[in-house]
Structure formats: C-alpha cells, structure tokens
Amino acid sequence: MQRLPLTEREDWRATAAEHGFDFHTFDGDPYWDESACYRFSLAQIEDHLENPATELEQLCFEVVERAIADDEVLLKRNCSPPWVMSVTLPPAGRYRQG
C-alpha cells in the first residue's frame, strides 16, 4: 500500500452540499481529509481486503435486521430517540418475521 499526498479540491464543500451531503463539516473541521489517498495492488485487494469487507458488510446487515426486529435494539441499546421509529419503520406492521 502506498500513501499518496494530494492537494485538497477547492470546491469540495460546495460539491458535497450540491449532492445533499450537508454534514461535510463539523465545528469548522472537515468530515474527511483530502490531503492523501491510498494505492493498493490487486493482490492486496484480493488477498487482504475483499473477504474482510464482505464479512463486515454482512455483520452490518445482521445488525440492521436485529434493530428492525427488536424495538429495544433500535431505540434503547442504540440510544435512538423515539422519533426514529416513525422515520425508519412503517406505522403499521413493522418488519417482524414469523
């Protein structure tokens, strides 16, 4: 892996905002850093990144499924405010299985 220095795009904040990404800056600090990027070889991607990334994606799906199926997970354990239920789930029937 190589870390390559970059020059920050002058208009990145405006471009992000144009696409609805309006939380690009927090307390005056950028959400991400454009001062560098990383270059990987194909072998590094295939041998070290693809499987862990797939596993992480599956774990994320499992957490979402648990949260949808269990109000306690969605609200209490994640410290979500009650209005989250009305935004994330339909008003009737929920996504319960079985």
Side-chain angles (χ1 to χ4, degrees), residues 11-71:
D11 66 340
W12 75 264
R13 287 175 179 85
T15 301
E18 282 177 24
H19 295 282
F21 189 69
D22 57 359
F23 55 95
H24 53 71
T25 303
F26 291 107
D27 298 326
D29 293 324
Y31 178 75
W32 67 81
D33 180 359
E34 289 199 345
S35 64
C37 69
Y38 296 89
R39 178 185 296 161
F40 297 90
S41 70
L42 181 58
Q44 288 172 318
I45 292 171
E46 291 178 341
D47 298 341
H48 302 290
L49 295 175
E50 284 184 347
N51 287 340
T54 299
E55 184 178 347
L56 180 58
E57 180 184 39
Q58 186 58 43
L59 290 170
C60 291
F61 289 143
E62 290 173 15
V63 167
V64 169
E65 287 176 13
R66 285 186 55 213
I68 289 172
D70 185 341
D71 292 352

Side-chain angles (χ1 to χ4, degrees), residues 68-96:
I68 289 172
D70 185 341
D71 292 352
E72 182 176 345
V73 172
L74 182 63
L75 293 173
K76 296 175 186 164
R77 292 186 62 197
N78 290 319
C79 300
S80 300
W83 61 263
V84 168
M85 293 298 283
S86 64
V87 174
T88 58
L89 298 175
R94 301 227 191 272
Y95 289 107
R96 305 249 186 247

